[in-house]
Short mmCIF file of all heavy atoms in Angstrom, two decimals:
data_model
loop_
_atom_site.label_atom_id
_atom_site.label_comp_id
_atom_site.label_asym_id
_atom_site.label_seq_id
_atom_site.Cartn_x
_atom_site.Cartn_y
_atom_site.Cartn_z
N GLU W 1 -6.57 -21.65 9.18
CA GLU W 1 -7.20 -21.15 10.41
C GLU W 1 -8.33 -20.15 10.18
O GLU W 1 -9.32 -20.14 10.87
CB GLU W 1 -6.11 -20.52 11.32
CG GLU W 1 -5.09 -21.48 11.88
CD GLU W 1 -5.66 -22.54 12.76
OE1 GLU W 1 -6.57 -22.18 13.58
OE2 GLU W 1 -5.27 -23.72 12.66
N LEU W 2 -8.14 -19.29 9.18
CA LEU W 2 -9.19 -18.31 8.87
C LEU W 2 -10.33 -18.88 8.09
O LEU W 2 -11.49 -18.49 8.24
CB LEU W 2 -8.58 -17.11 8.09
CG LEU W 2 -7.73 -16.09 8.88
CD1 LEU W 2 -7.24 -14.99 7.93
CD2 LEU W 2 -8.53 -15.47 10.03
N GLY W 3 -10.03 -19.82 7.21
CA GLY W 3 -11.03 -20.36 6.28
C GLY W 3 -11.04 -19.53 5.02
O GLY W 3 -10.52 -18.37 5.01
N GLU W 4 -11.60 -20.04 3.97
CA GLU W 4 -11.52 -19.40 2.67
C GLU W 4 -12.18 -18.02 2.64
O GLU W 4 -11.67 -17.07 2.07
CB GLU W 4 -12.14 -20.30 1.59
CG GLU W 4 -11.33 -21.54 1.28
CD GLU W 4 -11.90 -22.32 0.12
OE1 GLU W 4 -12.92 -21.88 -0.42
OE2 GLU W 4 -11.33 -23.35 -0.24
N ALA W 5 -13.33 -17.91 3.30
CA ALA W 5 -14.09 -16.65 3.25
C ALA W 5 -13.32 -15.52 3.97
O ALA W 5 -13.13 -14.46 3.42
CB ALA W 5 -15.46 -16.80 3.85
N ARG W 6 -12.88 -15.81 5.22
CA ARG W 6 -12.17 -14.76 5.97
C ARG W 6 -10.80 -14.48 5.29
O ARG W 6 -10.35 -13.33 5.28
CB ARG W 6 -11.94 -15.23 7.42
CG ARG W 6 -13.21 -15.10 8.25
CD ARG W 6 -12.94 -15.46 9.73
NE ARG W 6 -14.10 -15.14 10.53
CZ ARG W 6 -15.15 -15.96 10.67
NH1 ARG W 6 -15.19 -17.10 10.00
NH2 ARG W 6 -16.14 -15.56 11.46
N TYR W 7 -10.17 -15.51 4.76
CA TYR W 7 -8.89 -15.27 4.06
C TYR W 7 -9.11 -14.37 2.84
O TYR W 7 -8.31 -13.51 2.54
CB TYR W 7 -8.27 -16.58 3.65
CG TYR W 7 -6.90 -16.44 3.02
CD1 TYR W 7 -5.79 -16.11 3.81
CD2 TYR W 7 -6.73 -16.61 1.68
CE1 TYR W 7 -4.53 -15.95 3.25
CE2 TYR W 7 -5.47 -16.48 1.09
CZ TYR W 7 -4.37 -16.15 1.87
OH TYR W 7 -3.13 -16.00 1.30
N GLY W 8 -10.24 -14.61 2.14
CA GLY W 8 -10.55 -13.77 1.02
C GLY W 8 -10.74 -12.31 1.43
O GLY W 8 -10.31 -11.38 0.70
N VAL W 9 -11.44 -12.09 2.56
CA VAL W 9 -11.59 -10.71 3.07
C VAL W 9 -10.28 -10.10 3.39
O VAL W 9 -9.99 -8.92 3.06
CB VAL W 9 -12.48 -10.72 4.33
CG1 VAL W 9 -12.51 -9.32 4.99
CG2 VAL W 9 -13.89 -11.14 4.01
N TRP W 10 -9.37 -10.87 3.96
CA TRP W 10 -8.00 -10.36 4.31
C TRP W 10 -7.22 -9.96 3.08
O TRP W 10 -6.64 -8.89 3.03
CB TRP W 10 -7.23 -11.43 5.08
CG TRP W 10 -5.83 -11.08 5.44
CD1 TRP W 10 -4.69 -11.67 4.95
CD2 TRP W 10 -5.39 -9.99 6.28
NE1 TRP W 10 -3.62 -11.07 5.43
CE2 TRP W 10 -4.00 -10.03 6.26
CE3 TRP W 10 -6.04 -8.99 7.01
CZ2 TRP W 10 -3.20 -9.11 6.98
CZ3 TRP W 10 -5.30 -8.09 7.75
CH2 TRP W 10 -3.89 -8.14 7.70
N ILE W 11 -7.25 -10.81 2.04
CA ILE W 11 -6.50 -10.52 0.84
C ILE W 11 -7.14 -9.31 0.14
O ILE W 11 -6.42 -8.44 -0.37
CB ILE W 11 -6.54 -11.76 -0.13
CG1 ILE W 11 -5.74 -12.88 0.48
CG2 ILE W 11 -5.95 -11.37 -1.47
CD1 ILE W 11 -4.28 -12.60 0.77
N LEU W 12 -8.45 -9.24 0.11
CA LEU W 12 -9.13 -8.09 -0.54
C LEU W 12 -8.79 -6.80 0.20
O LEU W 12 -8.55 -5.78 -0.39
CB LEU W 12 -10.64 -8.34 -0.55
CG LEU W 12 -11.47 -7.27 -1.28
CD1 LEU W 12 -11.06 -7.21 -2.73
CD2 LEU W 12 -12.95 -7.57 -1.16
N THR W 13 -8.78 -6.84 1.54
CA THR W 13 -8.41 -5.66 2.34
C THR W 13 -7.01 -5.22 2.02
O THR W 13 -6.74 -4.05 1.81
CB THR W 13 -8.53 -6.00 3.84
OG1 THR W 13 -9.89 -6.33 4.17
CG2 THR W 13 -8.10 -4.82 4.69
N SER W 14 -6.06 -6.16 1.97
CA SER W 14 -4.70 -5.84 1.64
C SER W 14 -4.58 -5.21 0.27
O SER W 14 -3.79 -4.29 0.03
CB SER W 14 -3.81 -7.11 1.71
OG SER W 14 -3.89 -7.70 3.00
N SER W 15 -5.37 -5.74 -0.68
CA SER W 15 -5.36 -5.20 -2.04
C SER W 15 -5.90 -3.78 -2.10
O SER W 15 -5.30 -2.92 -2.74
CB SER W 15 -6.15 -6.12 -2.98
OG SER W 15 -5.62 -7.45 -3.01
N VAL W 16 -7.04 -3.55 -1.45
CA VAL W 16 -7.65 -2.24 -1.47
C VAL W 16 -6.76 -1.19 -0.79
O VAL W 16 -6.48 -0.11 -1.34
CB VAL W 16 -9.05 -2.28 -0.77
CG1 VAL W 16 -9.59 -0.88 -0.61
CG2 VAL W 16 -10.00 -3.12 -1.63
N ILE W 17 -6.27 -1.51 0.41
CA ILE W 17 -5.40 -0.58 1.13
C ILE W 17 -4.07 -0.40 0.42
O ILE W 17 -3.46 0.68 0.50
CB ILE W 17 -5.20 -1.10 2.58
CG1 ILE W 17 -6.51 -1.25 3.32
CG2 ILE W 17 -4.27 -0.13 3.34
CD1 ILE W 17 -7.36 -0.01 3.41
N GLY W 18 -3.67 -1.45 -0.34
CA GLY W 18 -2.42 -1.31 -1.09
C GLY W 18 -2.42 -0.15 -2.10
O GLY W 18 -1.39 0.41 -2.40
N TYR W 19 -3.66 0.19 -2.55
CA TYR W 19 -3.77 1.33 -3.53
C TYR W 19 -3.48 2.66 -2.87
O TYR W 19 -3.31 3.63 -3.56
CB TYR W 19 -5.13 1.30 -4.18
CG TYR W 19 -5.29 0.29 -5.25
CD1 TYR W 19 -5.98 -0.93 -5.02
CD2 TYR W 19 -4.72 0.45 -6.51
CE1 TYR W 19 -6.12 -1.88 -6.01
CE2 TYR W 19 -4.85 -0.50 -7.49
CZ TYR W 19 -5.57 -1.66 -7.25
OH TYR W 19 -5.66 -2.60 -8.21
N TYR W 20 -3.44 2.70 -1.52
CA TYR W 20 -3.11 3.98 -0.83
C TYR W 20 -1.75 4.47 -1.28
O TYR W 20 -1.51 5.68 -1.25
CB TYR W 20 -3.12 3.75 0.66
CG TYR W 20 -4.49 3.70 1.34
CD1 TYR W 20 -5.62 3.61 0.56
CD2 TYR W 20 -4.59 3.73 2.72
CE1 TYR W 20 -6.88 3.54 1.14
CE2 TYR W 20 -5.83 3.68 3.33
CZ TYR W 20 -7.00 3.62 2.54
OH TYR W 20 -8.21 3.56 3.15
N GLY W 21 -0.87 3.52 -1.66
CA GLY W 21 0.44 3.96 -2.06
C GLY W 21 0.45 4.87 -3.23
O GLY W 21 1.39 5.74 -3.41
N PHE W 22 -0.56 4.82 -4.13
CA PHE W 22 -0.69 5.70 -5.28
C PHE W 22 -1.05 7.10 -4.86
O PHE W 22 -0.83 8.04 -5.61
CB PHE W 22 -1.66 5.16 -6.27
CG PHE W 22 -1.15 4.03 -7.12
CD1 PHE W 22 -1.69 2.73 -6.98
CD2 PHE W 22 -0.16 4.24 -8.06
CE1 PHE W 22 -1.17 1.70 -7.71
CE2 PHE W 22 0.31 3.21 -8.86
CZ PHE W 22 -0.19 1.95 -8.68
N LEU W 23 -1.66 7.24 -3.67
CA LEU W 23 -2.22 8.54 -3.29
C LEU W 23 -1.17 9.55 -2.88
O LEU W 23 -1.49 10.73 -2.71
CB LEU W 23 -3.22 8.35 -2.14
CG LEU W 23 -4.46 7.47 -2.49
CD1 LEU W 23 -5.36 7.36 -1.28
CD2 LEU W 23 -5.23 8.05 -3.65
N ASP W 24 0.08 9.13 -2.66
CA ASP W 24 1.12 10.08 -2.32
C ASP W 24 1.60 10.87 -3.56
O ASP W 24 2.41 11.80 -3.41
CB ASP W 24 2.29 9.41 -1.61
CG ASP W 24 3.14 8.60 -2.54
OD1 ASP W 24 2.72 8.34 -3.68
OD2 ASP W 24 4.24 8.22 -2.09
N LEU W 25 1.11 10.47 -4.72
CA LEU W 25 1.44 11.16 -6.02
C LEU W 25 2.94 11.26 -6.23
O LEU W 25 3.42 12.27 -6.80
CB LEU W 25 0.80 12.57 -5.98
CG LEU W 25 -0.71 12.58 -5.79
CD1 LEU W 25 -1.24 14.01 -5.79
CD2 LEU W 25 -1.46 11.77 -6.89
N GLY W 26 3.69 10.25 -5.84
CA GLY W 26 5.11 10.25 -6.10
C GLY W 26 5.97 11.00 -5.10
O GLY W 26 7.16 11.12 -5.28
N PHE W 27 5.33 11.54 -4.03
CA PHE W 27 6.09 12.32 -3.04
C PHE W 27 7.21 11.50 -2.42
O PHE W 27 8.25 12.08 -2.07
CB PHE W 27 5.14 12.84 -1.93
CG PHE W 27 4.72 14.26 -2.16
CD1 PHE W 27 4.07 14.63 -3.32
CD2 PHE W 27 4.98 15.19 -1.18
CE1 PHE W 27 3.68 15.95 -3.49
CE2 PHE W 27 4.62 16.53 -1.36
CZ PHE W 27 3.95 16.90 -2.51
N ARG W 28 6.99 10.20 -2.25
CA ARG W 28 8.07 9.42 -1.62
C ARG W 28 9.36 9.48 -2.41
O ARG W 28 10.46 9.66 -1.82
CB ARG W 28 7.61 7.95 -1.53
CG ARG W 28 6.36 7.76 -0.67
CD ARG W 28 6.02 6.29 -0.45
NE ARG W 28 4.68 6.11 0.09
CZ ARG W 28 4.29 5.02 0.70
NH1 ARG W 28 5.12 4.01 0.82
NH2 ARG W 28 3.08 4.91 1.15
N GLY W 29 9.22 9.29 -3.74
CA GLY W 29 10.42 9.38 -4.56
C GLY W 29 11.06 10.71 -4.50
O GLY W 29 12.31 10.85 -4.54
N GLY W 30 10.26 11.80 -4.46
CA GLY W 30 10.80 13.14 -4.40
C GLY W 30 11.56 13.39 -3.08
O GLY W 30 12.61 14.03 -3.09
N VAL W 31 11.01 12.89 -1.99
CA VAL W 31 11.68 13.04 -0.69
C VAL W 31 13.02 12.35 -0.70
O VAL W 31 14.08 12.91 -0.28
CB VAL W 31 10.82 12.50 0.47
CG1 VAL W 31 11.58 12.51 1.78
CG2 VAL W 31 9.54 13.31 0.59
N THR W 32 13.06 11.11 -1.17
CA THR W 32 14.32 10.36 -1.25
C THR W 32 15.34 11.06 -2.13
O THR W 32 16.52 11.17 -1.79
CB THR W 32 14.07 8.94 -1.80
OG1 THR W 32 13.10 8.29 -0.95
CG2 THR W 32 15.35 8.12 -1.79
N GLN W 33 14.88 11.58 -3.30
CA GLN W 33 15.78 12.24 -4.23
C GLN W 33 16.45 13.47 -3.58
O GLN W 33 17.70 13.57 -3.55
CB GLN W 33 14.99 12.69 -5.45
CG GLN W 33 15.64 13.76 -6.34
CD GLN W 33 16.73 13.20 -7.21
OE1 GLN W 33 17.59 13.96 -7.65
NE2 GLN W 33 16.69 11.95 -7.58
N TYR W 34 15.67 14.37 -3.00
CA TYR W 34 16.26 15.62 -2.52
C TYR W 34 16.90 15.45 -1.13
O TYR W 34 17.88 16.20 -0.84
CB TYR W 34 15.15 16.72 -2.49
CG TYR W 34 14.90 17.20 -3.86
CD1 TYR W 34 13.79 16.77 -4.58
CD2 TYR W 34 15.77 18.08 -4.48
CE1 TYR W 34 13.57 17.21 -5.89
CE2 TYR W 34 15.56 18.52 -5.78
CZ TYR W 34 14.46 18.09 -6.46
OH TYR W 34 14.25 18.50 -7.77
N LEU W 35 16.40 14.55 -0.31
CA LEU W 35 17.10 14.33 0.97
C LEU W 35 18.50 13.75 0.72
O LEU W 35 19.48 14.14 1.37
CB LEU W 35 16.26 13.35 1.84
CG LEU W 35 16.74 13.16 3.28
CD1 LEU W 35 16.74 14.48 4.03
CD2 LEU W 35 15.86 12.15 3.98
N THR W 36 18.58 12.84 -0.21
CA THR W 36 19.89 12.24 -0.60
C THR W 36 20.84 13.30 -1.13
O THR W 36 21.99 13.41 -0.79
CB THR W 36 19.71 11.13 -1.64
OG1 THR W 36 18.81 10.14 -1.18
CG2 THR W 36 21.03 10.49 -2.00
N ARG W 37 20.28 14.17 -1.97
CA ARG W 37 21.05 15.24 -2.62
C ARG W 37 21.60 16.21 -1.60
O ARG W 37 22.78 16.57 -1.61
CB ARG W 37 20.17 15.93 -3.64
CG ARG W 37 20.83 16.91 -4.58
CD ARG W 37 19.92 17.35 -5.66
NE ARG W 37 19.65 16.21 -6.59
CZ ARG W 37 20.44 15.89 -7.62
NH1 ARG W 37 21.53 16.60 -7.84
NH2 ARG W 37 20.12 14.90 -8.40
#
């Protein structure tokens, strides 16, 4: 439905935004550790 070009933009967007997960600098793991504790 999107076609190859638009699908490529969608995958590239997901890949670029996916790197946002690195920007929390591991805070997610720290929150889970101490909240559980």
Side-chain angles (χ1 to χ4, degrees):
E1 294 297 320
L2 284 181
E4 290 186 0
R6 283 183 172 84
Y7 185 73
V9 172
W10 175 246
I11 294 300
L12 185 61
T13 298
S14 302
S15 300
V16 171
I17 302 301
Y19 282 102
Y20 282 11
F22 282 111
L23 298 179
D24 73 347
L25 302 178
F27 261 59
R28 300 187 192 199
V31 174
T32 302
Q33 163 77 204
Y34 285 99
L35 188 59
T36 304
R37 190 170 291 276

